[in-house]
Amino acid sequence: MDKLILVRHSETEGQHEDSPLTKLGVRQAQVLSTFLQHSGYKIDRIISSPFLRAIETIKPFAENNGVTIERDERLEERILSHDPLDDWEEVLHDTFRDPELKMSGGESSTEARERVLSLIDELENEEGNVLLVTHGNLLALLLQKYNREIGFADWKRLSRPDIFLIQKQGGEYTVERIWED
């Protein structure tokens, strides 16, 4: 890949896989489309989480630029637990400190990171610029590949939407947040 662009979805009405964007989220998707259009980065391929909120976030850009949205389950949000968690944010925090921590029916940070990195490994030798649309926790775990210091506090600072540019410069990967709230 020449450039990897990582996008977190816009504001949604819930966390279910079929949760739509809010009215604000729809406006954010339009702003995101305009931002990407004027970013100067040609997008050769778009791969998205199959969740509705991810698809709706990138759809305006994809339609305006004639790029097909490919869906890949490896970009789905990480499941912390199948049981409701009143203290889900505290549990999430703990999973950043202990990447092997796994709740009932959920995925550990290590498992989720390995899942998404299997996609990245497939894309490594591809030509062009690839844009991935995913979810906050998985995005933070993916960013750890390029910057091991990414943690819970960084996850908390992610906006909806958010955009990061990853590129190789001089043999090293650089991570740059390019979204402007």
Side-chain angles (χ1 to χ4, degrees):
M1 285 175 294
D2 296 324
K3 292 179 178 39
L4 177 62
I5 299 166
L6 304 176
V7 175
R8 182 187 190 191
H9 64 79
S10 298
E11 184 178 286
T12 66
E13 295 201 8
Q15 294 301 310
H16 187 267
E17 67 184 72
D18 292 328
S19 296
L21 298 180
T22 61
K23 287 180 183 178
L24 174 59
V26 171
R27 287 193 302 274
Q28 290 170 335
Q30 293 294 334
V31 171
L32 178 102
S33 176
T34 301
F35 177 86
L36 289 170
Q37 188 71 36
H38 297 297
S39 70
Y41 304 117
K42 180 184 181 305
I43 307 299
D44 300 296
R45 190 168 175 198
I46 296 172
I47 307 171
S48 177
S49 160
F51 286 15
L52 181 62
R53 58 189 177 267
I55 299 292
E56 285 184 342
T57 295
I58 201 60
K59 192 174 185 177
F61 176 79
E63 287 178 347
N64 289 339
N65 292 278
V67 182
T68 301
I69 301 171
E70 302 170 47
R71 298 167 194 229
D72 194 306
E73 292 177 352
R74 292 173 288 184
L75 292 170
E76 288 180 2
E77 181 60 289
R78 170 219 192 156
I79 304 278
L80 272 180
S81 171
H82 280 296
D83 301 324
L85 298 172
D86 292 334
D87 60 344
W88 68 269
E89 200 167 319
E90 185 177 316
V91 170
L92 183 63
H93 177 266
D94 292 344
T95 68
F96 275 95
R97 287 194 304 185
D98 178 1
E100 300 303 323
L101 180 63
K102 185 174 177 174
M103 305 304 290
S104 171
E107 257 183 317
S108 70
S109 292
T110 299
E111 290 169 333
R113 187 173 30 256
E114 287 174 358
R115 169 170 53 93
V116 73
L117 290 181
S118 71
L119 173 60
I120 299 301
D121 290 344
E122 287 176 18
L123 297 171
E124 286 285 333
N125 296 319
E126 220 174 275
E127 302 261 336
N129 299 329
V130 178
L131 184 146
L132 303 181
V133 186
T134 191
H135 307 269
N137 185 212
L138 197 66
L139 175 61
L141 294 172
L142 175 53
L143 287 171
Q144 288 177 339
K145 171 181 172 62
Y146 306 102
N147 180 348
R148 293 175 195 243
E149 302 300 314
I150 300 287
F152 179 77
D154 300 290
W155 167 80
K156 275 195 82 94
R157 285 192 293 272
L158 292 174
S159 64
R160 276 180 284 199
D162 216 333
I163 308 175
F164 290 84
L165 173 66
I166 315 261
Q167 55 189 336
K168 208 171 205 176
Q169 295 180 331
E172 301 270 327
Y173 285 104
T174 61
V175 176
E176 179 185 1
R177 181 176 186 260
I178 61 173
W179 178 247
E180 300 164 8
D181 295 324

